[in-house]
């Protein structure tokens, strides 16, 4: 269970990098924050979508199989990850 909680938190950090890059690319700050965007883009655009899909499937299967309890999964982080996953599909 501890590794799932860690993966949920790490996925959330990757999703925050995705949101940061997504917002910065659509504003005029992309030139000013270019180095920071390039660093965050690796986690945000390369790692986040795939990791988000894998971790979401692991948690959903674990919840359905009753291997995990809802309270132990960090429900707010899990729901935010799912919402950001919808944005990543967009």
């Amino acid at each position: 269970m501890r590794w799932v909680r860690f993966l949920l938190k790490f996925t959330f950090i990757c999703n925050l990098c995705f949101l940061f890059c997504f917002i910065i690319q659509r504003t005029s700050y992309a030139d000013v924050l270019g180095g920071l965007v390039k660093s965050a883009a690796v986690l945000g655009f390369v790692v986040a979508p795939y990791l988000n899909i894998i971790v979401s499937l692991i948690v959903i299967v674990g919840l359905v199989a009753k291997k995990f309890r809802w309270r132990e999964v960090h429900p707010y982080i899990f729901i935010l990850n799912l919402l950001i996953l919808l944005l990543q599909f967009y």
Side-chain angles (χ1 to χ4, degrees), residues 37-58:
V37 170
K38 288 178 186 177
S39 299
V42 173
L43 282 177
F45 290 128
V46 177
V47 176
Y50 303 111
L51 185 65
N52 203 356
I53 291 170
I54 292 168
V55 171
S56 296
L57 287 175
I58 289 171

Side-chain angles (χ1 to χ4, degrees), residues 1-11 55 58-59 68 72-74:
M1 183 62 200
R2 288 178 46 171
W3 61 275
V4 173
R5 293 174 68 184
F6 169 75
L7 284 176
L8 273 171
K9 292 174 187 177
F10 181 68
T11 304
V55 171
I58 289 171
V59 171
F68 310 136
E72 296 174 349
V73 179
H74 295 294

